[in-house]
């Protein structure tokens, strides 16, 4: 009786190890979902040359000192946000980053690459505009916090932000050691204390992807007086931008 039991135990352990390996190897396909095509024709596009890739930037050019950089979600074609940003920020030049491997950009998305590309875009934009606001949404908040911790952004807006991707993954896969397996961690809570720009966190009341506790934890990581938290009533993770409260909330950063 002991032998069949030990064989069964070994089989279970083998299946579990194989599942862990599959999760490790496929993790980036579970994080990044490049859209198939552009959602909206931008007034102007440019190419940001970065090591190992050519990254597309959708733009609404505007002369002057004021600009905005937008960093989208993991399945977002950022050009879809251009009309709303155009209404919210009529007096700022707009620069929307298409992540590596997303519409119009080459390369492969990773946390290290996306943060490096955002820093490169900021440096390019800052040479033309003195006052640069950064807006990040969902996955883009993980990029935006790291950017704001290393560059002098004027204001930072985080839409449906989270404290860490590792924390979210641990909730989604509770029976796997995801904190050990995860390569792209987007640990915003680690970088938040270094942010000095006035920051607004916009949470969706009924966010089905980012728990309110994760957003609240991130809020608590900022230095006192730096960040404020606003909850958009009745909104979900993907519908927050449809709320009548969303555009006025964004305009906090005008």
């Amino acid at each position: 009786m002991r032998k069949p039991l030990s064989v069964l135990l070994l089989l279970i352990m083998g299946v579990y190890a194989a599942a862990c390996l599959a999760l490790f190897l496929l993790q980036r396909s579970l994080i990044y979902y490049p859209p198939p095509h552009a959602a909206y024709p931008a007034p102007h596009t440019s190419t940001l040359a970065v090591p190992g890739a050519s990254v597309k930037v959708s733009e609404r050019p505007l002369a002057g000192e004021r600009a905005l950089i937008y960093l989208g979600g993991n399945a977002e074609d950022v050009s879809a946000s251009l009309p709303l940003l155009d209404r919210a920020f009529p007096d700022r030049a707009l620069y929307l980053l298409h992540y590596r491997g997303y519409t119009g950009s080459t390369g492969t998305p990773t946390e290290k690459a996306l943060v490096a590309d955002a820093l490169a875009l900021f440096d390019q934009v800052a040479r033309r505009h003195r006052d640069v606001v950064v807006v990040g949404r969902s996955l883009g908040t993980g990029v935006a916090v790291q950017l704001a911790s290393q560059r002098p952004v004027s204001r930072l807006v985080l839409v449906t932000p989270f404290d860490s991707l590792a924390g979210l993954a641990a909730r989604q896969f509770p029976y796997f050691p995801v904190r050990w397996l995860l390569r792209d961690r987007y640990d915003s809570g680690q970088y938040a204390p270094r942010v000095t720009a006035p920051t607004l966190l916009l949470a969706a009341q009924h966010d089905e992807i980012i728990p309110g506790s994760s957003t609240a934890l991130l809020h608590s990581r900022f230095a006192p007086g730096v960040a404020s938290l606003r909850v958009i009533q009745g909104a979900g993770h993907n519908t927050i931008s449809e709320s009548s409260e969303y555009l006025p909330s964004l305009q906090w950063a005008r």
Side-chain angles (χ1 to χ4, degrees):
M1 187 67 182
R2 292 179 181 176
K3 187 173 182 180
L5 187 61
S6 62
V7 170
L8 178 61
L9 182 60
L10 287 173
L11 179 61
I12 292 173
M13 292 175 62
V15 170
Y16 181 77
C20 289
L21 178 61
L23 190 60
F24 176 76
L25 295 175
L26 299 174
Q27 60 182 275
R28 284 183 171 139
S29 67
L30 301 175
I31 298 172
Y32 306 103
Y33 295 90
H37 52 74
Y40 185 84
H44 180 74
T45 61
S46 63
T47 300
L48 182 68
V50 292
S54 294
V55 177
K56 177 182 175 181
V57 181
S58 287
E59 301 181 11
R60 192 211 58 201
L62 189 66
E65 295 186 342
R66 297 157 65 82
L68 179 144
I69 292 173
Y70 180 76
L71 305 165
N74 70 327
E76 180 181 355
D77 181 86
V78 291
S79 63
S81 294
L82 191 52
L84 189 146
L85 292 171
D86 181 56
R87 297 198 304 274
F89 301 96
D91 57 350
R92 287 187 181 273
L94 303 177
Y95 299 89
L96 291 74
L97 182 67
H98 295 250
Y99 299 143
R100 295 187 186 211
Y102 284 56
T103 310
S105 297
T106 64
T108 301
T110 67
E111 178 183 5
K112 182 178 179 180
L114 268 54
V115 172
D117 295 347
L119 290 168
L121 178 59
F122 181 91
D123 292 342
Q124 178 175 285
V125 170
R127 286 194 289 269
R128 308 173 193 169
H129 310 277
R130 184 180 59 85
D131 179 348
V132 183
V133 163
V134 174
V135 177
R137 179 168 179 174
S138 194
L139 181 75
T141 65
V143 182
V145 171
Q146 294 190 49
L147 169 59
S149 74
Q150 300 178 57
R151 295 294 188 272
V153 308
S154 58
R155 289 199 172 195
L156 176 65
V157 180
L158 305 174
V159 181
T160 60
F162 53 87
D163 185 66
S164 76
L165 189 60
L168 297 181
R171 288 173 61 97
Q172 188 170 359
F173 301 99
Y175 301 110
F176 294 94
V178 292
R179 294 184 186 275
W180 295 350
L181 298 173
L182 201 60
R183 289 181 285 181
D184 293 355
R185 308 182 69 83
Y186 292 101
D187 190 359
S188 294
Q190 174 186 337
Y191 297 94
R194 308 178 199 172
V195 176
T196 58
T199 300
L200 174 64
L201 288 74
L202 288 178
Q205 181 187 18
H206 302 303
D207 197 316
E208 64 280 14
I209 296 176
I210 310 297
S213 58
S214 182
T215 302
L217 180 58
L218 175 61
H219 180 224
S220 72
R221 308 281 198 192
F222 288 88
V226 169
S228 59
L229 172 61
R230 184 177 303 171
V231 179
I232 303 296
Q233 299 300 309
H237 185 81
N238 294 316
T239 62
I240 188 171
S241 57
E242 299 171 14
S243 168
S244 60
E245 298 179 46
Y246 184 68
L247 190 146
S249 297
L250 283 183
Q251 290 176 327
W252 167 86
R254 287 182 67 176

